[in-house]
């Protein structure tokens, strides 16, 4: 890229030099034309006094000729550097030859012209311009009067000029080609040291890359080791934590097992103490309080719905009252038989005393309580309750409603009969009016064994 830039720069300088050479050539041609016009005007003046000018001419024109010769030498040097300027030099040589062949009268006219020139320099600029314009008009007139031979010479001169320009272009192109060849040669003739330096640079680059890779791999390995170490430490901590949790879990299970065993022992003793005394558990679904609540629910809620159905079917309230009393009585009698069977199983404990017999009595009462719980969780419809045949109006509908009523009464009658002490509705304090549906007593009461 540097060689191409240098070549382009040299080409640009070459074009500038050619343009400059063309301008100088045109300037020299213009000067020659002015000089020729001047000499022609001087020839017209020298015709009158030719002989006197011949005697004094050689000594006085010596200086202008030397000056003119120096200018020719200067133009010759420029023409050596530029082929286009060589044509102008040839024209100058031809002019000088014409000047040397002029008679002595021309030299004397030249001297007088120099003197007039110094005089005219002192005049004002306006006179100078007027003189120049007159000279231009005279020159144009003389050029129009030149013979055909002058035009042919001019044409020939133009052809030579074009030939010279073509030659200059060819030389310029040749110079450019030579420069390109020289550049290519310089590139091909690079010393072996350059290749060696390039190879050394490549080796250093590879060494640097290998070193960078090693450092990167070393850094990655260090990071991996650090990560593995952290993971190992974390796993160790997790294992320690899980071992501690496992140990705590084992301790908790052991404590739970001991607590369960303690609860089981205490539950047995507590159940016995509860059933042998007057205390009751709040969580017991068949406690005296809960049984009272269930009786109130039967009397105030369930009986109200059944009563309306019985009234619509024109059922007798006396028949219904007798049926309810009979159902509670038979439930109590059936539970008395169940308790007697349990007592027979455990044997009599009234005649013997001691702590062991007290426990037996407690477990006997607990068995009764468990029977009570079993009945509480049983299906009411599966219990065998007494039910007389009804033969009144709408017998089927009445029997369905009475069956629902007797199931509720028999189930609740069994539960209150198994309470400690047993309970029953207070039938004795209930006062009935004729055709009254107020069947159930207001409260439950304790009954004798």
């Amino acid at each position: 890229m540097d060689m191409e830039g240098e070549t382009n720069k040299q080409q640009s300088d070459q074009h500038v030099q050619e343009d400059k050479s063309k301008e100088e050539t045109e300037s020299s041609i213009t000067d020659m034309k002015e000089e020729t016009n001047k000499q022609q005007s001087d020839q017209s003046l020298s015709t009158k006094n030719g002989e006197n000018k011949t005697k004094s001419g050689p000594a006085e024109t010596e200086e202008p000729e030397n000056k003119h010769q120096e200018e020719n030498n200067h133009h010759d040097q420029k023409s050596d550097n530029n082929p286009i300027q060589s044509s102008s030099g040839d024209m100058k040589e031809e002019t000088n030859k014409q000047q040397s062949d002029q008679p002595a009268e021309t030299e004397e006219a030249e001297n007088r012209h120099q003197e007039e020139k110094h005089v005219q320099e002192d005049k004002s600029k306006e006179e100078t311009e007027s003189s120049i314009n007159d000279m231009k008009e005279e020159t144009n007139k003389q050029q129009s009067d030149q013979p055909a031979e002058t035009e042919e010479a001019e044409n020939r001169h133009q052809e030579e000029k074009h030939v010279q320009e073509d030659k200059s272009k060819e030389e310029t192109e040749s110079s450019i080609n030579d420069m390109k060849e020289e550049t290519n040669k310089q590139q091909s003739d690079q010393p072996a040291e350059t290749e060696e330096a390039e190879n050394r640079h490549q080796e250093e680059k590879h060494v640097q890359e290998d070193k960078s890779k090693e450092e990167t791999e070393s850094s990655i390995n260090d990071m991996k080791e650090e990560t593995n170490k952290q993971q190992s430490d974390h796993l160790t901590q997790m294992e320690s934590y899980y071992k501690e949790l496992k140990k705590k879990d084992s301790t908790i299970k052991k404590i739970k097992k001991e607590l369960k065993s303690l609860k089981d022992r205490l539950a047995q003793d507590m159940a016995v103490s509860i059933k042998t005394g007057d205390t009751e558990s709040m969580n017991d679904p068949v406690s005296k309080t809960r049984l009272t609540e269930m009786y109130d629910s039967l009397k105030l809620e369930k009986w109200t719905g059944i009563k309306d159905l019985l009234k619509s079917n024109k059922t007798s309230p006396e028949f219904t009252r007798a049926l309810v009393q009979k159902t509670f009585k038979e439930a109590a009698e059936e539970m008395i038989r169940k308790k007697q069977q349990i007592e027979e199983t455990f044997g009599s404990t009234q005649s013997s005393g001691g702590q062991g017999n007290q426990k037996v009595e407690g477990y006997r009462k607990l068995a009764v309580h468990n029977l009570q719980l079993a009945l509480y969780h049983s299906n009411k419809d599966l219990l065998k309750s007494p039910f007389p045949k009804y033969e009144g109006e709408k017998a089927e509908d009445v029997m369905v409603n009475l069956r629902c009523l007797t199931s509720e009464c028999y189930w609740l009658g069994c539960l209150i009969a198994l309470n400690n002490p047993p309970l029953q509705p207070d039938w004795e304090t209930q006062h009935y009016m004729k055709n009254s549906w107020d069947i159930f007593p207001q409260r439950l009461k304790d009954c004798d064994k």
Side-chain angles (χ1 to χ4, degrees), residues 60-72:
E60 294 176 355
T61 57
E62 190 174 11
E63 184 177 355
E65 289 179 356
N66 293 330
K67 183 177 180 181
H68 187 69
Q69 185 66 30
E70 291 177 358
E71 292 178 355
N72 292 332

Side-chain angles (χ1 to χ4, degrees), residues 41 179 181 247:
S41 62
M179 290 175 66
E181 292 178 358
K247 184 177 179 181

Side-chain angles (χ1 to χ4, degrees), residues 278-294:
D278 294 332
T279 60
E280 63 179 27
S281 174
M282 297 299 293
N283 296 324
D284 189 1
V286 291
S287 63
K288 183 178 180 179
T289 302
R290 290 286 297 130
L291 291 174
T292 303
E293 291 176 355
M294 285 188 283

Side-chain angles (χ1 to χ4, degrees), residues 295 299 325 328 416 423-432 438-447:
Y295 178 77
K299 178 181 68 175
Q325 290 178 356
F328 272 101
I416 61 177
L423 299 172
Q424 66 178 2
D426 190 4
W427 304 109
E428 296 176 357
T429 60
Q430 181 71 13
H431 298 287
Y432 300 102
D438 190 9
I439 295 175
F440 289 93
Q442 294 295 322
R443 62 184 181 87
L444 296 174
K445 72 172 185 176
D446 296 340
C447 62

Side-chain angles (χ1 to χ4, degrees), residues 312-372:
S312 63
N313 293 325
K314 297 180 180 182
T315 307
S316 171
E318 287 76 11
F319 176 81
T320 306
R321 184 184 305 113
L323 180 62
V324 170
Q325 290 178 356
K326 183 179 180 181
T327 303
F328 272 101
K329 184 179 178 181
E330 291 186 359
E333 292 175 354
E334 181 66 22
M335 292 304 104
I336 289 172
R337 286 193 295 270
K338 296 290 185 185
K339 286 193 290 185
Q340 289 176 353
Q341 292 176 358
I342 293 173
E343 288 177 357
E344 291 175 359
T345 302
F346 282 93
S348 178
T349 59
Q350 295 179 354
S351 60
S352 60
Q355 186 175 3
N357 291 331
Q358 290 179 355
K359 287 186 176 181
V360 171
E361 179 65 15
Y363 283 117
R364 184 189 66 78
K365 292 182 178 181
L366 184 60
V368 175
H369 179 67
N370 289 333
L371 175 61
Q372 189 182 19

Side-chain angles (χ1 to χ4, degrees), residues 71-237:
E71 292 178 355
N72 292 332
N73 292 331
H74 180 68
H75 287 294
D76 292 338
Q77 292 177 358
K78 289 184 178 180
S79 64
D80 294 335
N81 296 325
N82 192 347
I84 297 173
Q85 290 180 356
S86 63
S87 62
S88 62
D90 295 336
M91 292 176 68
K92 287 182 180 181
E93 289 178 0
E94 186 176 354
T95 303
N96 293 328
K97 184 177 180 181
Q98 291 176 0
Q99 290 178 355
S100 62
D101 295 334
Q102 289 177 354
E105 291 85 358
T106 303
E107 294 178 358
E108 186 176 354
E110 182 67 23
N111 292 330
R112 192 176 62 229
H113 174 68
Q114 293 295 330
E115 292 176 0
E116 291 176 356
K117 183 178 179 181
H118 290 295
V119 173
Q120 289 176 358
E121 287 177 355
D122 297 332
K123 293 181 180 181
S124 63
K125 293 181 180 180
E126 294 178 357
E127 293 177 355
T128 304
E129 292 177 357
S130 178
S131 175
I132 291 170
N133 291 330
D134 293 338
M135 291 175 66
K136 286 182 178 180
E137 292 177 359
E138 183 68 22
T139 302
N140 292 329
K141 184 177 180 181
Q142 290 178 0
Q143 289 178 352
S144 62
D145 294 337
Q146 286 180 352
E149 290 80 2
T150 305
E151 293 180 359
E152 292 179 0
E154 183 67 21
N155 293 330
R156 187 170 58 253
H157 175 69
Q158 291 296 330
E159 292 177 358
E160 292 176 355
K161 182 179 179 181
H162 289 303
V163 171
Q164 192 65 28
E165 288 178 355
D166 295 337
K167 184 177 180 181
S168 176
K169 289 181 180 178
E170 292 178 356
E171 291 177 354
T172 303
E173 293 177 355
S174 178
S175 176
I176 292 170
N177 292 328
D178 292 338
M179 290 175 66
K180 287 183 178 180
E181 292 178 358
E182 183 67 23
T183 302
N184 295 328
K185 185 177 180 181
Q186 290 178 359
Q187 291 177 353
S188 62
D189 294 338
Q190 287 181 347
E193 290 79 4
T194 305
E195 294 180 358
E196 185 178 354
E198 181 69 20
N199 293 330
R200 186 168 60 253
H201 175 69
Q202 292 294 333
E203 291 177 357
E204 292 176 355
K205 184 177 180 181
H206 289 305
V207 170
Q208 189 68 24
E209 289 177 354
D210 294 338
K211 185 177 180 181
S212 176
K213 288 181 180 179
E214 291 177 357
E215 292 177 353
T216 304
E217 291 177 356
S218 176
S219 176
I220 293 171
N221 292 329
D222 294 338
M223 290 175 66
K224 287 181 178 180
E225 291 178 358
E226 184 68 22
T227 304
N228 293 331
K229 184 178 179 181
Q230 292 178 357
Q231 290 178 352
S232 177
D233 295 339
H234 182 68
L235 290 175
T236 303
Q237 293 177 358

